[in-house]
Amino acid sequence: SAALIAATPVDAPEEWNVDAAHTEVTFEVRHFFTPVSGKFDAFDIELIYDAVDASNSSVRASIPVASIDTNNERRDEHLESPDFFEAATYPQITFESTAVRRISETELDATGDLTIKDVTRRVDLPITLLGVKEIPAEMQQMLGGVGRVVAFEAVLEIDRNDFGVGTGQWATDAVVGKNVSIRIAVEANQQAGM
């Protein structure tokens, strides 16, 4: 799925191409006592990052619910059903930042609106800049002309009940834990000479 990351230095935005093979959206939730993980196979992420003034940065993400993958087809179908995400009615999970602030040299906080099903809530998304690397000229051709690589990671803890996911018997019987950890790891690159 196409995704874009733009880095904004003092002069002008720089566009980055997300490397889908090294980008992932994963989650973990408990089934009774056991941690069960899964991922979303599709996503669109746009991130504008201003290294000088973080307030010029922004994050937008859209994740198709039908791309959920817990390595169990029956469970995935159940998660897409009205018992949980109601994917037919609410096909996308979205996040859109309203403000970004710098916490430290490598830590940012994006405040924004997370929408799951028909519920939108204001959340704080902590983002870590994992690194930026200039690719040596002798390696650029081997990497398809890539001149720079950047990576970000965001981890968010939510209560699924706040979004009406898995309510009713699934919540009252505590079969599925209410706390869900969501992790987004993004690697993006820029062609040499840009």
Side-chain angles (χ1 to χ4, degrees), residues 36-116:
V36 175
S37 61
K39 63 180 179 166
F40 289 93
D41 291 325
F43 42 80
D44 282 302
I45 300 169
E46 298 174 23
L47 191 147
I48 297 172
Y49 173 60
D50 186 333
V52 177
D53 184 355
S55 67
N56 292 328
S57 303
S58 63
V59 184
R60 294 182 66 202
S62 182
I63 303 164
V65 174
S67 73
I68 199 165
D69 180 1
T70 64
N71 205 28
N72 182 303
E73 190 174 337
R74 186 172 168 210
R75 179 170 53 213
D76 295 346
E77 288 173 359
H78 191 200
L79 288 169
E80 292 176 40
S81 80
D83 281 343
F84 288 93
F85 284 105
E86 296 183 70
T89 305
Y90 308 109
Q92 301 287 326
I93 296 170
T94 62
F95 174 79
E96 185 162 358
S97 67
T98 54
V100 177
R101 64 188 177 96
R102 180 171 301 286
I103 306 299
S104 72
E105 188 176 323
T106 59
E107 303 291 326
L108 302 165
D109 184 78
T111 299
D113 296 323
L114 175 64
T115 302
I116 302 175

Side-chain angles (χ1 to χ4, degrees), residues 100-155:
V100 177
R101 64 188 177 96
R102 180 171 301 286
I103 306 299
S104 72
E105 188 176 323
T106 59
E107 303 291 326
L108 302 165
D109 184 78
T111 299
D113 296 323
L114 175 64
T115 302
I116 302 175
K117 294 175 69 170
D118 58 346
V119 179
T120 300
R121 288 187 175 267
R122 180 67 44 97
V123 299
D124 289 314
L125 180 66
I127 301 171
T128 301
L129 171 63
L130 300 176
V132 180
K133 181 166 182 64
E134 301 290 333
I135 305 301
E138 61 273 14
M139 289 183 63
Q140 291 176 3
Q141 185 175 355
M142 180 179 73
L143 295 173
V146 169
R148 296 172 77 195
V149 173
V150 66
F152 295 93
E153 181 179 46
V155 178

